[in-house]
Amino acid sequence: MVTVLQDIIAGVREDLDARRRTLPLEELKVRAAAAPRALDGFAALGGGRDERPDLRVIAEVKRRSPSKGELAGIADPAALAGRYAGGGASVISVLTEERRFGGSLADLDAVRAAVDIPVLRKDFTCDPYMIWEARAHGADLVLLIVAALDDGELRDYLALTHELGMDAIVETHTAGEIARAVAVGARIIGINVRNLKTLAVDRSTFAALAGNIPAGPVVIAESGVRDAGDVRHYAGHGANAVLVGEALVRDATPRERITEFRQAGAEAIAALRLGTH
């Protein structure tokens, strides 16, 4: 039986093949080399410090999803990204997958031109071409989904990402996938609490899995953030950052919501350190 992830990746590969016929890899590499140097996504998410006193927010430009359908029209992704940055987002995530999420590389270009903070190209990376493509379009981070890659691909894709000066969010869903991410030296590990088979969200998954990540990597909670209470929950169980899409694109005041989420996260982290969580 074909899983949702496999079905999405099949479409991604078809669209990728079409782009590759238009722009060969060697020409793409020239464009990537000409792009401005990547920003430090690891540092932006609090990495490299002994203490991470606050919670970082990765705010997502996301029009629709397989689980919820249409979320928001987003006629001006650059303007939305500007509001995100104004609210204190540390990274802007841009969905570029077209068939299920309604994204595009044009969205990535628009956001990159509008903000001066790191930008994540969020897609179903299944070929090195997509990493070169992300860099050519100014992305500072890419998404690597452990469930979609074998160990060799995961290691090689992560190495290429670092070779190009970028960072990768290595997304996991199980303890076994976390072990694989740690084994290849992932510096940013995401725990996605959405079940890849059913698309259901179980927020308790984060607390159950976060303890498997050793000290050092940035830990990101993905999916399931509806309000400040969810942010407190994730931060209280060890999240250094949260990735938020639906709750922000559906909010009339995303700038204020991000500020609220950051405050809620900081309070939870402070409580955790004081042992009152």
Side-chain angles (χ1 to χ4, degrees), residues 39-52:
L39 301 176
D40 191 339
F42 180 64
L45 292 170
R49 300 190 310 177
D50 293 334
E51 294 187 3
R52 296 168 182 159

Side-chain angles (χ1 to χ4, degrees), residues 186-241:
R187 302 199 303 167
I188 307 173
I189 298 178
I191 297 176
N192 194 332
V193 303
R194 188 180 300 281
N195 187 299
L196 287 176
K197 295 180 180 178
T198 67
L199 299 182
V201 168
D202 181 356
R203 292 168 187 83
S204 67
T205 298
F206 183 84
L209 294 178
N212 292 288
I213 301 176
V218 170
V219 181
I220 299 173
E222 301 179 48
S223 298
V225 174
R226 300 162 298 186
D227 52 35
D230 291 328
V231 174
R232 289 190 190 94
H233 170 77
Y234 287 142
H237 287 92
N240 305 122

Side-chain angles (χ1 to χ4, degrees), residues 26 94 98 143 163 226 274:
E26 290 309 311
V94 183
E98 298 182 27
L143 182 72
E163 178 185 325
R226 300 162 298 186
L274 290 172

Side-chain angles (χ1 to χ4, degrees), residues 62-119:
K62 181 179 186 180
R63 290 188 173 85
R64 63 175 184 261
S65 74
S67 61
K68 295 293 183 70
E70 295 294 330
L71 299 174
I74 312 182
D76 190 344
L80 178 60
R83 290 195 288 274
Y84 286 167
S90 295
V91 171
I92 307 297
S93 171
V94 183
L95 259 299
T96 59
E97 197 279 334
E98 298 182 27
R99 300 187 182 204
R100 299 293 192 99
F101 293 87
S104 69
L105 287 166
D107 286 347
L108 179 61
D109 291 338
V111 170
R112 172 70 288 162
V115 299
D116 58 4
I117 61 175
V119 174

Side-chain angles (χ1 to χ4, degrees), residues 10-88:
V12 168
R13 288 190 181 280
E14 287 183 19
D15 294 340
L16 168 60
D17 288 342
R19 295 197 305 276
R20 184 156 30 202
R21 286 192 294 271
T22 302
L23 182 64
L25 178 59
E26 290 309 311
E27 186 176 342
L28 181 63
K29 288 183 177 181
V30 172
R31 295 189 183 186
R37 184 175 180 175
L39 301 176
D40 191 339
F42 180 64
L45 292 170
R49 300 190 310 177
D50 293 334
E51 294 187 3
R52 296 168 182 159
D54 56 353
L55 184 92
R56 309 301 169 97
V57 174
I58 303 171
E60 193 154 82
V61 176
K62 181 179 186 180
R63 290 188 173 85
R64 63 175 184 261
S65 74
S67 61
K68 295 293 183 70
E70 295 294 330
L71 299 174
I74 312 182
D76 190 344
L80 178 60
R83 290 195 288 274
Y84 286 167

